[in-house]
Amino acid sequence: MARRESHSHHPHHHQGTHTRFEDEQIEEATESSNLEDPMCDADESTIGQDKAIDDTMCEPGESDKDIARSFELDDSVIGSDKTSADYYFDSYSHFGIHEVSVPLWMLSFSITSVMHSFYNYMISVEMLKDVVRTKTYQNVIYKNKFLFKNKVVLDVGAGTGILSLFCAKAGAKHVYAVECSHMADMAKEIVEVNGFSDVITVMKGKVEEIVLPVAQVDIIISEWMGYFLLFENMLNTVLYARDKWLVNDGIVLPDKASLYLTAIEDAEYKEDKIEFWNSVYGFDMSCIKKQAMMEPLVDTVDQNQIVTNCQLLKTMDISKMAPGDASFTAPFKLVASRDDYIHALVAYFDVSFTKCHKLTGFSTGPRSRATHWKQTVLYLEDVLTICEGETVVGSMTVAQNKKNPRDVDIMIKYSFNGQRCQVSRTQYYKMR
């Protein structure tokens, strides 16, 4: 997975794109973090409800084996068989290393414990400073104390323990904060310093391996979402904890997550970062271009780039779903809102806390306040010349990578039959 640098010279990154929180701080008294700026019109998406589309390109009855077989066709591309586990030890083979002007050690996991600790620290800082994320969780807990009072809470992937601290302050009977990284040691100290040692028990280890001192919990809370919702996520761990410890009428927070798709114009950036490999100082390096096209980009997309409507692909009910439900095939139909070019599809997600007194949640979409998840950009091989009202139809298949289940394989089938352009293609992407 590549990440786009945030330079001011990028034509689509207008002033303020990355600093919008400076003038618009989220107060504890606000109702939600950023859902007041809806990404989709009300008739195009609804929280907790999938939108059905008639499209022969999508076969909803596909099994997990069918989905897995869909990704066995593109191993001819050099490096296409690598996963994030391979990059752990071989970070230099990641194409982005060769163009991003930051130190190598900051772009890859280090195999030393010191670098691991520093990486965990950087991740914790990034998430805590994500005001949309952290304030939403805080508001959910503080404004719904009736859910937490005298309840036993399990915090899955606790990190610094911030969610556990919120729960304890809201009146939880006891909170078990489970964290498998070295950050658990820091969380214990943080809990102690803030005077919650009698309410919060920090447990270092994997959820699948620990032994809780209690048979059941009333609430499971977790910030499990990854880039593209499902990349390097902790969803299966949350589902494991749910099935093992949650009481029958227990609550999972958040309990709904929805994945969306839209299309953008992004000519100059694609030319700079993708087409660049066609001729590098007079040499053909297009083999790298093929790999670069396969790696989705994580970055903030300016809302002015959006060319079409947004399409709800999948809604997951965390309180009921099975682990295999995270692999799916979903149809899409994107309708152009203006005459323009389409260079890429963009995916993002929303999460919802539906058990609250008032529906609460946040969006990671381009029309909402920025989060550390940003958006996921999938570049198309074709440039689509589209006129207002014309449609791009297709399907997206998402599955766990067979070698490393924390990685995500994506297949997009799309077709377009417009006045100025006709295309039908299948593309493969690997988030790793």
Side-chain angles (χ1 to χ4, degrees), residues 126-373:
E126 182 180 32
M127 291 191 293
L128 288 172
K129 287 189 174 182
D130 185 338
V131 182
V132 171
R133 163 204 180 264
T134 309
K135 277 292 186 180
T136 298
Y137 276 90
Q138 185 184 49
N139 289 340
V140 164
I141 296 167
Y142 285 1
K143 293 185 178 185
N144 297 275
K145 292 183 179 180
F146 69 94
L147 292 176
F148 295 88
K149 190 167 180 61
N150 296 322
K151 297 296 176 64
V152 177
V153 180
L154 174 61
D155 182 358
V156 176
T160 59
I162 186 65
L163 302 187
S164 296
L165 291 166
F166 290 158
C167 293
K169 194 172 180 180
K173 180 180 179 180
H174 203 88
V175 183
Y176 294 97
V178 182
E179 172 58 45
C180 67
S181 75
H182 294 304
M183 192 57 67
D185 301 321
M186 300 301 295
K188 288 181 182 179
E189 186 173 340
I190 291 169
V191 167
E192 202 172 306
V193 167
N194 286 276
F196 286 103
S197 296
D198 57 336
V199 181
I200 301 174
T201 300
V202 178
M203 304 183 71
K204 187 175 182 179
K206 296 181 178 180
V207 167
E208 295 83 355
E209 298 173 0
I210 63 165
V211 178
L212 282 184
V214 293
Q216 292 182 309
V217 299
D218 302 299
I219 298 173
I220 293 177
I221 192 167
S222 179
E223 192 272 86
W224 57 265
M225 300 79 70
Y227 297 120
F228 187 70
L229 183 61
L230 297 171
F231 175 68
E232 291 194 340
N233 71 84
M234 293 181 58
L235 177 58
N236 284 347
T237 299
V238 171
L239 300 182
Y240 175 91
R242 179 200 67 187
D243 294 342
K244 185 171 184 177
W245 290 299
L246 191 64
V247 297
N248 288 335
D249 58 346
I251 297 173
V252 179
L253 297 172
D255 59 322
K256 296 286 177 65
S258 299
L259 187 66
Y260 295 87
L261 191 70
T262 189
I264 63 167
E265 180 279 325
D266 204 14
E268 189 161 341
Y269 192 88
K270 185 182 179 185
E271 179 68 29
D272 183 42
K273 299 298 183 181
I274 304 295
E275 304 303 334
F276 164 81
W277 298 107
N278 288 331
S279 178
V280 182
Y281 297 101
F283 296 99
D284 184 344
M285 296 189 181
S286 56
C287 59
I288 296 180
K289 173 185 172 181
K290 294 176 183 178
Q291 183 177 339
M293 287 287 294
M294 290 180 64
E295 295 191 17
L297 213 61
V298 172
D299 192 24
T300 301
V301 172
D302 192 294
Q303 61 179 306
N304 294 325
Q305 295 176 251
I306 300 171
V307 178
T308 69
N309 65 308
C310 68
Q311 173 68 61
L312 174 64
L313 294 174
K314 177 77 171 179
T315 292
M316 295 183 290
D317 186 338
I318 316 305
S319 62
K320 299 177 182 178
M321 69 179 290
D325 294 343
S327 295
F328 61 88
T329 297
F332 62 82
K333 180 180 180 180
L334 301 176
V335 183
S337 56
R338 65 173 185 255
D339 295 354
D340 211 327
Y341 301 97
I342 292 177
H343 298 91
L345 301 181
V346 174
Y348 66 94
F349 64 89
D350 296 353
V351 295
S352 307
F353 301 78
T354 69
K355 305 299 182 183
C356 299
H357 177 69
K358 182 177 181 180
L359 179 63
T360 308
F362 61 84
S363 174
T364 64
R367 291 200 174 104
S368 298
R369 295 178 209 157
T371 71
H372 77 278
W373 288 285

Side-chain angles (χ1 to χ4, degrees), residues 5-21:
E5 286 185 288
S6 302
H7 294 317
S8 58
H9 68 257
H10 191 290
H12 303 302
H13 288 191
H14 304 301
Q15 286 293 333
T17 299
H18 297 276
T19 58
R20 62 185 77 180
F21 289 133

